[in-house]
Amino acid sequence: MTTTTTSRWWLARAARAPARSRAPLTALLSTLFSVLVACIEAPAPPPGPPVIDDPLAGIAASTKNELLWRRARAVQTGLAQALAIPAEDVCRELDRYSCVDLVHQVQLGGNEPFAQGLYEPLRAPSTTTALSFDRVALSACSAAVEIDAERPAPVIFRGHPLTDEPLRDSDDDAVGARLLGATLVQRLHAREPQPRELDALLPLLVDDDGAPVSGRTFAKLACFAVASTTESLFY
Amino acid sequence: MRRRPSPTMNPLVSPAPRLSRRQLLLAASAVGVGAALPPRAARAQPRREGALPERLLFVVAAAGGASILDAFLPVVDVEAGAAAATLAVQPGSLVDTVGGLRCVGRRGGDLAGLDVGARFLQRTFLQKHGGDTVVMTVESTSVNHLVGQKRMVTGANVNGGRTIQEATALVHGLSSPLPNVNMAQGGYVERGDDVTVDRRALPEAVADARTFPLSLHGSRGVKHAPSAALVERARRVRDALESESPFGRTFAHAPLRQAVLDARARFVPDAEHRDLVTKLMLVPDAPGAFPLAASGLAESPDGARVREKFPRLIGDSFEAQAAMAFLLAKHGVAQAITLSPSFSPVLEGITMENPPLAFDFSHNDHPGTQNAMWSRVLRVVDGLIDLLKAEPDGEGATLWDRSLVYVATDFGREKVRPVDANVFGTGHHLNNGVVMVSPLLRGGRVYGGVDPTTLLTYGFDPSSGEARPGTVMREGDVYAVIAGAMGVEYPGRRAFPALVR
């Protein structure tokens, strides 16, 4: 719909434009048409997957590096929405103290004016931020899987049964893992996954000894691996 | 000469440290010993000739304005002569002398309608630690709380804006997990103004010592979490995701992101391998408040020991901080540790243990507040020193033998009172003095003095220690004394041979 609307806008604009300014546009459309025809008429590529050494090769490293820290409450809200759980279920230490409002508040970038007189939050993550964020992400993922397992049909963690039975070590496991990985990247990072990211999750189907883990465990581990990347911590 | 920070420098993240040649050598000697071995093991090794012995700095922030005239530098009413009626002097019956130092006894009475605590006597402190106790006069440069607090730990930027905790951490702690732990508040918890400080030496702010150990393990105690081994496996997958994602590629060199990745690579495995989540867990397993066992956690093997010394640590954050300070030092986690009483009130039954605003409640009741808060601060310092004295350092000495406790405070209090008033309020005043306790200092005496007719303190000669009326010491002088004891060097550091051993 958007593409069609944009095309109409361009055509209408081109029709209104004087002939002199219409010439470059006409040339551009002509070129695009030629390319389209060439693509349609091109011979079929040889069978087999295309060989792409690095699909991210075209991405240049930022020279400005202007990142913003996604802080305590934003982390909690983001995880709650992405994993479809209540905010208060994201993380509670000792099953009673809020991670974001109390225990890890300062490490996650919140300010604590009452007990510590910390009127302004930390300017940058501190050393223990890495572990505090790990705990919050792991807690949120573990809670989300447990909550999803209780639902008649899982909302997030589709692909494997959320049981404690070890997976069957079949090709279906990889399919399910990729499906779940794609869902997690879409929901947690609001973008489409890269094929290599989905491949990277496959080792989590087994433990360090090569034994298959359960669907429930895989779901928690995959969620944690995606949710605790720095992409969740900065924007 | 220190490099001036460029206006374009990102203040959020410290770049590589710019050290003088001497600082570099000192830091290299500290890192050289500890880099290849865990710190405890490193301490057990014979010290290399010429290597700087490790020091421990404890900054106890007497937040709100602790007047030295209400502790170890009191003036008795008769000494003030005719001016006594309008000066904040002490009644002769309250002042005692232990060794070379004076102290103020328990006033009693009430504070905001509640009994004044002050159960721990200043006299007791001097009887136990008087030989290591130094009183140094100082006249600071700000009566704003936050500014004054920060200047008392930066020496009013005498070392390029580096706090004394950061400077100590740089010399002694770069191989430790968290060399600079700061549990204090306000200006005491702020980082210094030197943007070149290695980020490992920046303050690690701790809001609550009782739950802080939970920030030292990534999965232990997390409800419904997979095993630690599987979580570790997921972390390795995460590392792969970091390099395979467009975000990771785009911000591969972003300092903010790199700081987190560095902490994952350096700090996380170290903290978890050392089992700091257990070693520092100072609270007991209590199904109501701290259900440790039910969460797969356990209390520190030293838990009972620190709770014996600080029995109220569960309900009193200051005691919890002191217990944590000892555990951090014992386990080689930190070399610069800062703590302070809260500005929130702490009640013990009908007794006011910690008035609101801590020492700053002196605006309402100066004598009662100062008496109660000095007792509170000295009781906690006493407990900390007792624990350090009882802890062998693996080299035939104790942790206390290489420790220094600096009781910092924002500023002094006004020296006047309404005629003959026993209960009165005071404002802020630049003129004051600080307390330091350490075997590294020539203790048991006052450096400087006080004019009994004005209650204004004056300075001393750094070489001989002789009092010099008409002069004053500044925040930078206090900083220089501590730096001298800690082995911290910087351009233009003033030497205090009379004071530093």
Side-chain angles (χ1 to χ4, degrees):
Chain A
M1 179 66 79
T2 304
T3 307
T4 308
T5 307
T6 307
S7 305
R8 283 179 183 161
W9 181 82
W10 268 105
L11 289 171
R13 183 178 172 186
R16 286 198 304 271
R20 191 181 54 179
S21 61
R22 223 180 291 159
L25 183 63
T26 307
L28 176 64
L29 290 173
S30 170
T31 306
L32 287 174
F33 182 74
S34 304
V35 170
L36 186 63
V37 169
C39 288
I40 292 170
E41 293 178 350
V51 178
I52 303 173
D53 287 340
D54 185 357
L56 301 180
I59 295 179
S62 170
T63 54
K64 294 182 178 178
N65 288 315
E66 289 176 353
L67 284 178
L68 291 177
W69 184 7
R70 183 175 283 129
R71 292 170 185 268
R73 192 54 56 85
V75 165
Q76 183 184 41
T77 306
L79 287 170
Q81 289 181 350
L83 300 176
I85 58 175
E88 59 269 24
D89 286 345
V90 166
C91 182
R92 276 199 302 266
E93 292 290 7
L94 302 175
D95 211 16
R96 62 184 58 231
Y97 302 114
S98 166
C99 295
V100 173
D101 293 335
L102 291 171
V103 180
H104 303 293
Q105 183 185 33
V106 173
Q107 278 77 16
L108 293 175
N111 56 322
E112 209 299 285
F114 302 111
Q116 203 176 18
L118 193 69
Y119 301 111
E120 294 183 11
L122 302 179
R123 286 180 282 181
S126 67
T127 303
T128 55
T129 296
L131 278 174
S132 290
F133 185 56
D134 270 11
R135 289 184 79 85
V136 172
L138 183 60
S139 173
C141 287
S142 300
V145 171
E146 297 298 328
I147 290 172
D148 229 15
E150 295 295 318
R151 292 183 173 122
V155 173
I156 311 290
F157 298 96
R158 292 165 294 183
H160 295 113
L162 296 178
T163 67
D164 292 326
E165 294 296 315
L167 296 171
R168 293 164 299 166
D169 196 14
S170 68
D171 290 344
D172 291 346
D173 293 345
V175 174
R178 283 196 170 87
L179 173 64
L180 176 57
T183 304
L184 289 170
V185 172
Q186 287 163 349
R187 294 192 66 107
L188 287 161
H189 299 329
R191 62 171 172 83
E192 291 301 320
Q194 295 291 317
R196 283 191 179 186
E197 290 180 285
L198 302 183
D199 292 343
L201 292 173
L202 298 183
L204 295 177
L205 288 166
V206 296
D207 63 16
D208 284 342
D209 297 327
V213 301
S214 69
R216 187 189 297 256
T217 299
F218 173 77
K220 291 176 182 177
L221 295 174
C223 175
F224 169 70
V226 175
S228 66
T229 55
T230 51
E231 191 170 352
S232 298
L233 198 55
F234 303 108
Y235 62 97
Chain B
M1 179 172 286
R2 188 171 307 287
R3 190 172 69 99
R4 179 172 295 176
S6 140
T8 58
M9 190 174 285
N10 183 352
L12 300 182
V13 177
S14 300
R18 305 275 177 174
L19 302 176
S20 68
R21 181 172 165 273
R22 188 164 191 176
Q23 286 170 314
L24 197 63
L25 289 172
L26 289 170
S29 68
V31 172
V33 174
L37 295 165
R40 296 300 295 176
R43 279 208 291 275
Q45 301 299 312
R47 187 179 295 138
R48 287 183 309 163
E49 192 172 344
L52 192 67
E54 185 183 286
R55 302 285 195 227
L56 295 167
L57 173 63
F58 300 89
V59 177
V60 179
S67 170
I68 196 67
L69 302 175
D70 290 270
F72 299 147
L73 196 55
V75 173
V76 179
D77 47 11
V78 294
E79 295 171 328
T86 56
L87 288 177
V89 292
Q90 305 290 340
S93 59
L94 268 184
V95 175
D96 205 347
T97 301
V98 179
L101 292 170
R102 284 180 167 186
C103 59
V104 179
R106 185 172 189 268
R107 295 182 69 95
D110 68 276
L111 195 57
L114 297 172
D115 288 347
V116 172
R119 286 173 298 213
F120 184 81
L121 300 177
Q122 296 180 17
R123 176 186 177 82
T124 305
F125 185 89
L126 289 182
Q127 286 171 335
K128 292 176 68 177
H129 315 295
D132 292 332
T133 300
V134 161
V135 173
M136 178 177 170
T137 59
V138 65
E139 186 162 294
S140 58
T141 53
S142 174
V143 288
N144 173 287
H145 282 288
L146 293 178
V147 176
Q149 289 165 355
K150 190 164 180 178
R151 288 184 183 171
M152 289 306 286
V153 291
T154 63
N157 287 3
V158 72
N159 184 15
R162 201 170 280 192
T163 67
I164 190 64
Q165 300 98 311
E166 290 169 350
T168 300
L170 283 169
V171 174
H172 298 288
L174 286 185
S175 61
S176 299
L178 297 168
N180 180 6
V181 172
N182 198 316
M183 299 175 276
Q185 62 170 7
Y188 296 112
V189 77
E190 289 184 20
R191 60 169 288 182
D193 296 330
D194 184 352
V195 297
T196 67
V197 170
D198 187 311
R199 62 174 167 248
R200 289 172 293 176
L202 294 178
E204 181 66 36
V206 173
D208 191 332
R210 292 159 292 198
T211 54
F212 172 60
L214 294 168
S215 301
L216 300 174
H217 199 286
S219 62
R220 181 99 48 91
V222 174
K223 192 177 180 183
H224 298 307
S227 71
L230 287 172
V231 171
E232 190 55 39
R233 190 171 173 82
R235 283 173 171 166
R236 293 197 294 273
V237 165
R238 177 181 64 190
D239 292 343
L241 293 176
E242 293 281 6
S243 59
E244 296 296 348
S245 75
F247 181 87
R249 287 291 180 94
T250 305
F251 297 104
H253 310 299
L256 210 56
R257 176 174 178 266
Q258 201 59 48
V260 174
L261 296 180
D262 286 349
R264 282 181 185 167
R266 177 187 64 84
F267 166 72
V268 169
D270 191 20
E272 294 186 347
H273 177 72
R274 289 170 182 242
D275 194 19
L276 295 182
V277 65
T278 302
K279 287 176 178 167
L280 302 186
M281 188 64 79
L282 47 85
V283 296
D285 179 32
F290 300 102
L292 300 180
S295 303
L297 299 162
E299 75 166 273
S300 168
D302 295 303
R305 184 175 163 207
V306 296
R307 288 196 300 276
E308 182 183 0
K309 192 56 71 178
F310 299 110
R312 292 191 285 270
L313 63 78
I314 291 179
D316 184 343
S317 62
F318 192 30
E319 289 204 1
Q321 291 173 15
M324 177 58 69
F326 168 69
L327 294 177
L328 289 166
K330 173 182 175 175
H331 294 292
V333 177
Q335 283 67 38
I337 303 161
T338 308
L339 52 152
S340 78
S342 171
F343 267 18
S344 299
V346 176
L347 306 176
E348 181 79 15
I350 58 167
T351 301
M352 179 73 83
E353 288 289 321
N354 190 113
L357 302 179
F359 278 96
D360 205 35
F361 199 70
S362 298
H363 283 293
N364 291 42
D365 180 349
H366 174 97
T369 298
Q370 293 287 326
N371 206 234
M373 285 304 302
W374 269 111
S375 169
R376 177 163 166 74
V377 166
L378 293 175
R379 176 169 55 81
V380 164
V381 173
D382 168 67
L384 176 60
I385 294 174
D386 282 351
L387 288 170
L388 293 169
K389 283 182 173 175
E391 185 62 31
D393 75 342
E395 296 181 1
T398 68
L399 290 184
W400 176 242
D401 293 316
R402 45 195 175 83
S403 297
L404 187 150
V405 176
Y406 165 36
V407 183
T409 193
D410 316 8
F411 37 65
R413 309 297 306 192
E414 280 182 323
K415 318 298 178 189
V416 295
R417 61 171 172 163
V419 178
D420 288 332
N422 287 322
V423 177
F424 55 92
T426 55
H428 306 170
H429 201 291
L430 298 174
N431 188 269
N432 199 22
V434 296
V435 173
M436 290 176 270
V437 194
S438 174
L440 305 170
L441 302 176
R442 299 181 202 282
R445 59 170 290 191
V446 174
Y447 291 87
V450 58
D451 180 347
T453 63
T454 61
L455 301 194
L456 294 173
T457 62
Y458 49 80
F460 62 97
D461 183 281
S463 299
S464 67
E466 283 183 26
R468 289 280 169 83
T471 67
V472 291
M473 315 311 288
R474 294 294 187 189
E475 297 104 322
D477 295 318
V478 176
Y479 188 102
V481 168
I482 301 169
M486 292 288 107
V488 170
E489 297 291 347
Y490 55 89
R493 181 171 72 79
R494 198 176 183 190
F496 283 82
L499 216 161
V500 180
R501 288 188 190 277

